[in-house]
Amino acid sequence: MKVLLLKDPKDKDSGPDPYIKELGSYSLEATLIPVLSFEFTSLDSLFDKLSHPECYGGLVFTSPRALEAIKICLKEKSKKEAWSKSLKQMWNIKPTYVVGKATASLVEEIGLVPQGEKTGNAEKLAEYICSREKPNSSALLFPCGALKREVLPTVLREKGVPLESLTVYRTAQHPELQESLSTYFSQQGIPASVVFFSPSGVKFCLQHIQKLSGDLINQLAAIGPSTAEALQGAGVAVSCTAGSPTPQDLAAALHTALQPHGCSGPC
């Protein structure tokens, strides 16, 4: 069975994409199509804030892109030296809260220790943070995207946990998206399932996919609850949602959803 994954491929230098590999173990033939492009912004302001860990109680990351912004900053020799010599150690005294394994992995790449990666979504991470942070303590620094959801900031604000957001990237439609989708459907036909990886992916892809498939796809899956909400908000049923945003949980959810009705186990 063919599955279309609306996400960027993993960096080629780090081996095969884990989603393709994991879905393959269930005999699902996955294809990746990049949906989003990103413009990084306010990088000088970001590093200025990172240069003053004494002003903050810790860090919060809910997107790999925010870590990519930091990695861009660290390409500059003087900033990389400052980070390695002292800033990294000063931040490591404080918590670094994250959602998901992909974000946690990037946190580790810059030398920090992630907490909360298993929470799975922003709402659960907010609860995790509130269980560990005291009200009216030093603000947590939250590098984020322009389209961030307000769930985490709202929960922290209600609990009196200060959060300082800084927009470090903006999301746009990938310039080759429509062409890539058209080529996929003309060459591969209609997949058994299409998996959306973000609310932005729903915004940029759903109508085009419905047009290409003639509304014949009845299996639309989501990587997490915010993406599922976006699909439901667009008036479509969600066939399954991954228990957490990992290749393993997505593959298991798809395997179950794609079983013939009433079938338990392989059929």
Side-chain angles (χ1 to χ4, degrees), residues 66-139:
L67 274 304
E68 288 178 25
I70 293 178
K71 292 180 85 170
I72 291 170
C73 291
L74 297 182
K75 286 181 179 178
E76 196 172 312
K77 186 178 178 182
S78 61
K79 291 176 179 175
K80 186 174 183 178
E81 287 178 354
W83 180 258
S84 299
K85 285 182 179 178
S86 62
L87 294 177
K88 179 174 65 175
Q89 290 84 344
M90 292 170 74
W91 280 111
N92 262 329
I93 298 170
K94 305 164 187 287
T96 299
Y97 298 110
V98 305
V99 167
K101 288 187 177 179
T103 307
S105 177
L106 289 170
V107 164
E108 290 171 346
E109 284 183 21
I110 63 169
L112 300 180
V113 180
Q115 294 184 29
E117 64 186 87
K118 294 181 180 179
T119 52
N121 61 59
E123 188 172 9
K124 290 180 180 177
L125 179 64
E127 294 169 4
Y128 179 89
I129 292 171
C130 290
S131 72
R132 283 158 175 75
E133 295 292 326
K134 295 177 181 178
N136 303 315
S137 53
S138 296

Side-chain angles (χ1 to χ4, degrees), residues 195-255:
V195 185
F196 291 80
F197 280 74
S198 69
S200 297
V202 175
K203 174 184 173 183
F204 296 138
C205 294
L206 181 59
Q207 286 189 337
H208 198 53
I209 285 171
Q210 289 172 325
K211 183 179 177 182
L212 289 167
S213 67
D215 287 326
L216 292 176
I217 295 178
N218 56 16
Q219 290 275 351
L220 298 176
I223 192 63
S226 62
T227 305
E229 285 175 19
L231 283 166
Q232 290 162 350
V236 299
V238 180
S239 60
C240 66
T241 303
S244 66
T246 65
Q248 293 76 16
D249 279 12
L250 176 64
L254 283 171
H255 176 69

Side-chain angles (χ1 to χ4, degrees), residues 5-267:
L5 306 179
L6 299 172
K7 70 178 287 290
D8 280 336
K10 188 179 178 185
D11 186 350
K12 291 177 182 177
D13 294 337
S14 51
D17 187 273
Y19 284 91
I20 289 183
K21 187 177 178 182
E22 191 65 32
L23 267 63
S25 70
Y26 287 92
S27 299
L28 296 172
E29 183 186 339
T31 300
L32 303 174
I33 290 182
V35 172
L36 308 175
S37 63
F38 301 95
E39 176 190 345
F40 293 97
T41 182
S42 305
L43 296 184
D44 287 340
S45 179
L46 171 60
F47 196 76
D48 183 55
K49 292 177 185 297
L50 290 173
S51 299
H52 294 282
E54 71 280 1
C55 296
Y56 299 97
L59 291 161
V60 179
F61 297 106
T62 59
S63 162
R65 309 297 165 210
L67 274 304
E68 288 178 25
I70 293 178
K71 292 180 85 170
I72 291 170
C73 291
L74 297 182
K75 286 181 179 178
E76 196 172 312
K77 186 178 178 182
S78 61
K79 291 176 179 175
K80 186 174 183 178
E81 287 178 354
W83 180 258
S84 299
K85 285 182 179 178
S86 62
L87 294 177
K88 179 174 65 175
Q89 290 84 344
M90 292 170 74
W91 280 111
N92 262 329
I93 298 170
K94 305 164 187 287
T96 299
Y97 298 110
V98 305
V99 167
K101 288 187 177 179
T103 307
S105 177
L106 289 170
V107 164
E108 290 171 346
E109 284 183 21
I110 63 169
L112 300 180
V113 180
Q115 294 184 29
E117 64 186 87
K118 294 181 180 179
T119 52
N121 61 59
E123 188 172 9
K124 290 180 180 177
L125 179 64
E127 294 169 4
Y128 179 89
I129 292 171
C130 290
S131 72
R132 283 158 175 75
E133 295 292 326
K134 295 177 181 178
N136 303 315
S137 53
S138 296
L140 300 170
L141 179 59
F142 179 33
C144 57
L147 299 178
K148 75 176 189 304
R149 295 175 73 229
E150 290 301 318
V151 171
L152 187 143
T154 299
V155 173
L156 266 59
R157 186 166 56 246
E158 288 173 351
K159 298 288 186 180
V161 177
L163 184 74
E164 184 179 320
S165 301
L166 176 67
T167 298
V168 296
Y169 67 92
R170 301 186 186 282
T171 306
Q173 178 176 310
H174 193 284
E176 298 171 6
L177 174 62
Q178 293 206 1
E179 182 183 347
S180 297
L181 287 172
S182 297
T183 300
Y184 176 87
F185 277 86
S186 65
Q187 293 181 354
Q188 303 285 339
I190 297 173
S193 182
V194 177
V195 185
F196 291 80
F197 280 74
S198 69
S200 297
V202 175
K203 174 184 173 183
F204 296 138
C205 294
L206 181 59
Q207 286 189 337
H208 198 53
I209 285 171
Q210 289 172 325
K211 183 179 177 182
L212 289 167
S213 67
D215 287 326
L216 292 176
I217 295 178
N218 56 16
Q219 290 275 351
L220 298 176
I223 192 63
S226 62
T227 305
E229 285 175 19
L231 283 166
Q232 290 162 350
V236 299
V238 180
S239 60
C240 66
T241 303
S244 66
T246 65
Q248 293 76 16
D249 279 12
L250 176 64
L254 283 171
H255 176 69
T256 301
L258 291 169
Q259 293 295 324
H261 184 65
C263 173
S264 58
C267 295

